[in-house]
Amino acid sequence: RMEGFGCYALPTGTEYRGSLWDGMFHGPGELLLPGGGGYRALWVRGVPTQGKFTFADGLEYDEEKWHYCDGYDRRFYTEICSGFKPPAIPQLKNLDPPKIIPEGCYDCGDGFYNPKTRVVVDYKHKFLRNADNDEHEWILRTCRKAWDITTEHKPKP
């Protein structure tokens, strides 16, 4: 079985780098996510005992002192770090400029969602997962969508 320091690639694209013992994550190690970010933890026989999640943009999750998008402060992390844009220039998501959403699809945070096929693909259009009914409803209710109808500027007569 695997022991010592090593790297282990999971089929999902997630990679573990750290200590292994008897084929399990054991000791300090980090899960690196394919879209960026990761989870650094102290592992005991495959179970994390203490750890910290860091998003792709560098924002660290802190369960006790979490004030990001909590209902009182709705700024994106990039706005907290860099400030607001000038008036009349909206920032619709943390990534600026945002990805262009394919027609008829939604941006669900980790990729694009096609409600007709119920498939989520990453931003490079590689398959991530099939959405269940709960995720489907949540995406339709809350996520940014590509425009269905284009609007044209019509000058006043």
Side-chain angles (χ1 to χ4, degrees):
R1 297 191 187 218
M2 299 179 289
E3 291 201 3
F5 181 86
C7 297
Y8 183 78
L10 295 137
T12 60
T14 301
E15 184 178 314
Y16 173 78
R17 292 183 185 174
S19 297
L20 300 157
W21 175 74
D22 197 25
M24 296 179 281
F25 303 164
H26 189 77
E30 182 174 17
L31 286 171
L32 304 168
L33 303 174
Y39 182 70
R40 182 172 292 173
L42 182 61
W43 304 80
V44 176
R45 296 185 179 188
V47 178
T49 58
Q50 52 184 308
K52 184 167 271 194
F53 183 82
T54 305
F55 293 90
D57 60 7
L59 175 65
E60 288 186 350
Y61 176 73
D62 185 348
E63 188 173 353
E64 295 178 13
K65 296 179 183 177
W66 185 251
H67 300 293
Y68 176 68
C69 284
D70 61 359
Y72 299 105
D73 185 355
R74 302 294 295 170
R75 292 177 295 166
F76 292 110
Y77 185 61
T78 53
E79 291 174 319
I80 292 169
C81 294
S82 305
F84 287 114
K85 291 180 170 293
I89 301 176
Q91 183 166 338
L92 301 174
K93 59 183 296 185
N94 192 44
L95 179 65
D96 192 50
K99 301 280 185 187
I100 297 172
I101 305 169
E103 187 176 333
C105 294
Y106 292 79
D107 183 346
C108 59
D110 60 347
F112 301 121
Y113 175 67
N114 184 332
K116 292 180 182 175
T117 61
R118 291 189 171 217
V119 171
V120 178
V121 296
D122 68 11
Y123 293 120
K124 295 179 182 175
H125 301 282
K126 288 176 57 181
F127 176 83
L128 287 178
R129 65 184 173 279
N130 293 313
D132 62 12
N133 289 336
D134 290 338
E135 184 178 23
H136 172 79
E137 293 301 323
W138 180 84
I139 290 171
L140 296 183
R141 191 174 60 251
T142 61
C143 295
R144 285 187 331 119
K145 181 181 182 190
W147 292 102
D148 288 334
I149 302 167
T150 57
T151 57
E152 295 179 18
H153 175 69
K154 295 180 182 177
K156 292 180 181 178

